[in-house]
Amino acid sequence: MSRPRPWVIVPGIWNSDAEHWQSGWERERGDDAVRIDPASWGEPEPGDWRDAISRAVASCAEPPVLVAHSLGVLAVAEWLATNATNTDGTTTSTVAGAFLVAPPDPDAPGFPAAAAGFSAPRRVRTAEGAARTPIRMVVSDDDPYCTLDRALGFADAMGATVLRVGALGHVNVASGVGDWPAGRELLRAFEDTL
């Protein structure tokens, strides 16, 4: 049996606590998962988070899957737009794919003031026929931090395939998803396409 593809876990602001599904999945994956380690968990600075993603990706023996939640989605979107896109619009193979869950809207009133430096995912232009990093964006119909329309717009800008999961709030501990086995199955199905 071959080793599973590595994961880079990219939590949201303040990191994901032990009860969060990201933490459970990381424990399940063991040595095949690495969590980013920015210095600015509480007052997130985009450059610090981009660097933390780069370090985590570089520590993997093969291209990993980025597994991001909330503010981590915005950090990954920026990282992909700035670090993984060549000047000709093609993407590098430093990551196998990105599984992004519950993006927050940085223009919404409830967005944390401490994370004001983060912005909405931007459209990345690619050369005709160029490969794009495969992206799945999981969105909830009733996320208090991002309307469905805004989340769909973010996915479109990133060239992501959308996976709607119904009314799961922000898909976090407060939403009651626990270890979120349905989400783990969505990630497994995504990995099978890579």
Side-chain angles (χ1 to χ4, degrees):
M1 181 176 161
S2 65
R3 255 182 99 124
R5 186 180 301 282
W7 293 342
V8 169
I9 305 292
V10 188
I13 192 170
W14 304 301
N15 203 346
S16 292
D17 64 24
E19 302 304 312
H20 195 283
W21 57 265
Q22 277 185 312
S23 299
W25 294 7
E26 182 181 5
R27 285 189 299 272
E28 169 196 317
R29 189 49 70 104
D31 291 341
D32 291 317
V34 61
R35 183 178 296 237
I36 66 165
D37 64 344
S40 60
W41 281 117
E43 303 243 352
E45 198 282 314
D48 177 37
W49 283 46
R50 277 192 311 273
D51 291 347
I53 293 170
S54 292
R55 286 190 306 272
V57 167
S59 75
C60 296
E62 64 181 280
V65 174
L66 304 176
V67 180
H69 178 257
S70 194
L71 189 65
V73 171
L74 301 184
V76 166
E78 181 64 19
W79 185 85
L80 287 171
T82 58
N83 291 36
T85 304
N86 300 317
T87 56
D88 66 358
T90 60
T91 55
T92 65
S93 60
T94 58
V95 295
F99 186 78
L100 312 177
V101 180
D105 184 350
D107 297 327
F111 191 76
F118 286 79
S119 58
R122 59 187 165 154
R123 185 165 304 279
V124 177
R125 299 194 186 283
T126 58
E128 187 66 31
R132 224 184 240 273
T133 299
I135 302 170
R136 296 293 184 275
M137 186 176 289
V138 178
V139 299
S140 170
D141 291 346
D142 65 346
D143 192 328
Y145 296 102
C146 188
T147 67
L148 179 59
D149 285 345
R150 283 289 280 174
L152 295 175
F154 296 162
D156 182 58
M158 295 183 71
T161 300
V162 174
L163 303 172
R164 287 178 63 185
V165 291
L168 287 183
H170 197 50
V171 196
N172 59 3
V173 173
S175 301
V177 297
D179 275 344
W180 196 35
R184 180 65 186 89
E185 181 57 27
L186 293 174
L187 175 55
R188 186 206 56 76
F190 175 50
E191 287 182 297
D192 284 349
T193 70
L194 302 176

